[in-house]
Amino acid sequence: MCEQLVVISQQACAAIHQAQQQGLQIRTKPDRSVVTNADIASEAVIVTALRSLYPTLPVVSEEEHSSGKRVGWDQTVWFVDPLDSTRGFAYGSTDYAVCIGLVHQGQAIVGAVAVPHTGEVFVGSVPDGTAFRVDAQNRKHAISARVTRDTENVIVHSSSESMTAQKLRDPHRNFEARGSAIKFAMVAQGEAAVYPRAGQLCHWDIAAGDALVTAAGGSVCDTQGRPLRYVEDTIWQPPFVARAATMQ
């Protein structure tokens, strides 16, 4: 499954690049977020592949959901964000990602976070206890959510939540603002110790990164220290903190 997710993610990244080359078409959705033809192209690649490879598993994807499509699910479900941080992407930021997460019995168990700008794909499987990065040359590298002396005080946060970071600021910590699910990948490979999120996000924003960090040996919990749960009666997740393994 993990190798399949690498290929699907790479194909989605290629679809995004192709849409960029052809010219971005940007529109505003009813909730005032933005969507582009790159989101739609990426989503088409991912959901088509997942429904072909895993025909018995439902797929819940952001743009399909935004267009009114509702998919029921019980034990196991795919959550897809075909282009995470679309607004930044539309206006030139390179901090955007592709997210594919598998949830089973309310927990994220497999996840892929791809970074189209660098060509990297980060994949983790909680049941297998494995996490790895595939680089732009298609070389595979094991990763671990363990910080080093250089990164143990790095806190990565959303660029839209700078005030949250300010409240936590002290002279012994280094704060880095980044966009999209790239923050999960930073924790998963030990480049950051903590990623706090004060605002709510949807299941498809988090499932892939949750599984990736957990598989790499870290944790993703709500503000009460409980692992995140994915339930059908809401698409929203509460504020959370992703931590590397060595952080207390």
Side-chain angles (χ1 to χ4, degrees):
M1 178 178 287
C2 288
E3 301 300 335
Q4 291 172 328
L5 290 184
V6 170
V7 174
I8 295 170
S9 298
Q10 291 171 333
Q11 292 172 342
C13 290
I16 290 170
H17 289 316
Q18 184 176 19
Q20 285 181 299
Q21 294 167 1
Q22 294 173 344
L24 287 183
Q25 301 164 22
I26 306 169
R27 63 178 176 84
T28 303
K29 296 188 286 189
D31 64 0
R32 297 199 297 180
S33 63
V34 297
V35 64
T36 71
N37 52 321
D39 296 73
I40 304 304
S42 174
E43 182 173 78
V45 167
I46 297 168
V47 300
T48 298
L50 292 179
R51 287 170 180 154
S52 175
L53 289 168
Y54 308 99
T56 63
L57 298 183
V59 179
V60 178
S61 190
E62 179 180 9
E63 302 313 329
E64 287 189 346
H65 189 277
S66 295
S67 66
K69 182 172 183 176
R70 297 294 180 263
V71 177
W73 51 280
D74 183 18
Q75 293 291 306
T76 311
V77 58
W78 290 103
F79 284 108
V80 175
D81 189 341
L83 205 167
D84 186 36
S85 194
T86 300
R87 187 176 296 276
F89 164 77
Y91 295 104
S93 171
T94 57
D95 273 2
Y96 57 94
V98 173
C99 302
I100 308 172
L102 182 66
V103 166
H104 179 63
Q105 295 182 342
Q107 294 184 313
I109 62 168
V110 178
V113 175
V115 185
H117 180 67
T118 63
E120 297 171 295
V121 183
F122 299 84
V123 182
S125 170
V126 177
D128 295 335
T130 60
F132 60 89
R133 173 179 67 90
V134 175
D135 64 25
Q137 288 72 46
N138 229 32
R139 296 172 299 199
K140 187 175 177 180
H141 312 266
I143 60 173
S144 174
R146 293 190 177 278
V147 292
T148 65
R149 188 176 298 275
D150 291 333
T151 62
E152 63 182 352
N153 291 313
V154 175
I155 295 180
V156 63
H157 63 93
S158 170
S159 55
S160 64
E161 292 192 333
S162 57
M163 290 305 294
T164 300
Q166 279 293 125
K167 292 177 183 178
L168 294 170
R169 193 175 298 278
D170 68 56
H172 304 294
R173 294 185 182 274
N174 299 317
F175 290 78
E176 184 173 347
R178 297 296 300 269
S180 80
I182 288 172
K183 298 182 285 295
F184 284 113
M186 291 178 67
V187 174
Q189 63 178 343
E191 288 187 351
V194 182
Y195 161 32
R197 180 75 189 199
Q200 287 187 320
L201 291 175
C202 295
H203 291 337
W204 49 71
D205 296 308
I206 303 175
D210 183 355
L212 173 64
V213 170
T214 303
S219 64
V220 182
C221 298
D222 65 18
T223 55
Q224 304 301 311
R226 299 169 299 199
L228 298 183
R229 298 287 298 175
Y230 299 79
V231 296
E232 188 176 3
D233 58 1
T234 178
I235 62 169
W236 297 101
Q237 286 284 357
F240 64 85
V241 180
R243 295 180 184 273
T246 57
M247 292 298 294
Q248 301 296 321

